[in-house]
Amino acid sequence: MPDRIPLLIDTDPGVDDAWALLMAFASPAHRLLGLTVTAGNVGLDHTVRNALKLCEVAGVELPVFPGCPVPLVHPAEDAAYVHGRDGFGDTGYLPPARRAEAEHAALAMIRLSRAHPGLLLVCLGPLTNLALALRLDPGLPARIGRLVVMGGAVTGQGNTSVSAEFNIAFDPEAAHVVFEAFESFDLVDWEAVLRHGLPHDEVERWFGEAGPKAAFYAAISRRTREWSEDRRGQLWHCADGLAMLAALEPEAVTGWARRPVAVETGGRLARGTTIVDWGNRSGRPARARILEGVDPARFHHWLRLALA
């Protein structure tokens, strides 16, 4: 399909990243150019290895570009307590046979945006790689057709601190750089994720009905699902999957709200918080298009397609 949309994904796999990547692998309308990888859910060595392993399990040949091992300025804690020390549930999977590319993720972003102007860029983890690319090449946003970011908590109902979401809180300075550089971007925040939970028993049924990819995903996600069920009840939340749905099938989105968004980079209580100007009082440009909802049937369709 020569008219497929070029797609580049920046990611920190991570269990929910893995399901989102499987969704992208399954899309006939998109041509995936590669995966740029950052630290986040766990350290960079693990996230790169997980990206390579997932490609191997899915039978997909893609370049994987290692990126930033730490945030731009301040150190941050990872989410190994949710995803496992290796990010994939500590299942002890066999190492991937293929190695990552030598090119840095930020440089790959710049090069691929020049080779494929108008590409779709989906960021599923902390925004460190993209912020670095922007500092190296301030003209980058003009070559990105659409930027979709999974991050933030738009009314302060965070999942890392009281008010901050993990991806933004891991590297608030990077998020600030990105949000100020792009004239327009799509934001899929944690609170939207909470509105689109998945019943644990239904997810278990999906795993049982599908094949080898589903079996691999069921294994690497088991620890995370048990953690989620213990703390959040009967619904599991696939944050990166929701962002990937909005990226792959914009028609599945039932509403957007365009507002100015800023990132708190200081503060004793609110570092990493996404501050949304809901009343348009600041006079700042409304660059963020915030996801309000999606069609649940389409979301479930894509999640199941990814496992098939």
Side-chain angles (χ1 to χ4, degrees):
M1 297 176 61
D3 57 345
R4 289 185 299 166
I5 299 168
L7 168 64
L8 180 62
I9 302 173
D10 192 57
T11 179
D12 62 334
V15 169
D16 54 341
D17 298 73
W19 207 342
L21 293 175
L22 291 173
M23 291 167 65
F25 295 166
S27 174
H30 295 81
R31 178 159 56 99
L32 192 47
L33 305 175
L35 305 177
T36 55
V37 181
T38 185
N41 285 321
V42 288
L44 185 67
D45 287 347
H46 288 306
T47 56
V48 169
R49 188 175 64 171
N50 292 346
L52 290 167
K53 185 63 179 182
L54 192 69
C55 289
E56 184 176 276
V57 168
V60 174
E61 287 285 338
L62 279 178
V64 173
F65 303 97
C68 297
V70 293
L72 290 182
V73 181
H74 298 289
E77 294 184 8
D78 64 23
Y81 65 97
V82 177
H83 296 266
R85 291 183 304 276
D86 71 352
F88 268 11
D90 297 324
T91 58
Y93 66 73
L94 292 175
R98 193 162 55 87
R99 294 186 176 182
E101 307 298 312
E103 186 178 19
H104 191 281
L107 298 177
M109 283 183 176
I110 294 169
R111 177 179 58 82
L112 290 169
S113 72
R114 289 173 175 163
H116 305 275
L119 65 79
L120 168 61
L121 176 59
V122 181
C123 293
L124 302 177
L127 294 168
T128 316
N129 288 337
L130 181 52
L132 179 57
L134 289 166
R135 287 299 191 238
L136 293 170
D137 183 358
L140 176 63
R143 302 192 300 274
I144 303 299
R146 182 180 174 215
L147 170 64
V148 179
V149 173
M150 191 284 125
V154 297
T155 67
Q157 300 177 56
N159 65 351
T160 292
S161 66
V162 171
S163 59
E165 177 274 334
F166 176 82
N167 284 345
I168 305 301
F170 188 87
D171 195 343
E173 286 77 17
H176 169 74
V177 169
V178 171
F179 289 3
E180 292 299 309
F182 280 82
E183 292 298 319
S184 178
F185 61 93
D186 291 345
L187 189 66
V188 179
D189 84 302
W190 175 245
E191 294 169 51
V193 174
L194 291 176
R195 295 193 295 272
H196 296 85
L198 308 167
H200 283 279
D201 55 354
E202 186 169 357
V203 171
E204 291 281 354
R205 187 171 68 252
W206 295 349
F207 293 156
E209 293 172 352
K213 283 187 290 186
F216 179 80
Y217 189 80
I220 65 171
S221 66
R222 182 169 292 109
R223 171 176 173 158
T224 304
R225 288 182 283 116
E226 290 172 353
W227 180 92
S228 175
E229 190 168 17
D230 181 56
R231 287 160 178 79
R232 294 178 180 148
Q234 296 183 1
L235 296 180
W236 187 43
H237 304 93
C238 187
D240 293 330
L242 187 68
M244 189 58 72
L245 172 69
L248 299 178
E249 190 181 348
E251 298 80 10
V253 177
T254 57
W256 299 98
R258 185 172 288 280
R259 294 291 188 278
V261 176
V263 180
E264 177 58 63
T265 57
R268 184 170 61 88
L269 298 176
R271 176 171 162 79
T273 300
T274 41
I275 309 298
V276 180
D277 181 6
W278 289 108
N280 290 307
R281 295 187 177 92
S282 65
R284 302 178 73 252
R287 293 173 171 162
R289 198 169 65 147
I290 302 165
L291 184 132
E292 294 183 319
V294 302
D295 179 348
R298 298 308 299 163
F299 188 27
H300 292 190
H301 165 78
W302 274 97
L303 290 170
R304 298 187 71 174
L305 179 66
L307 300 173

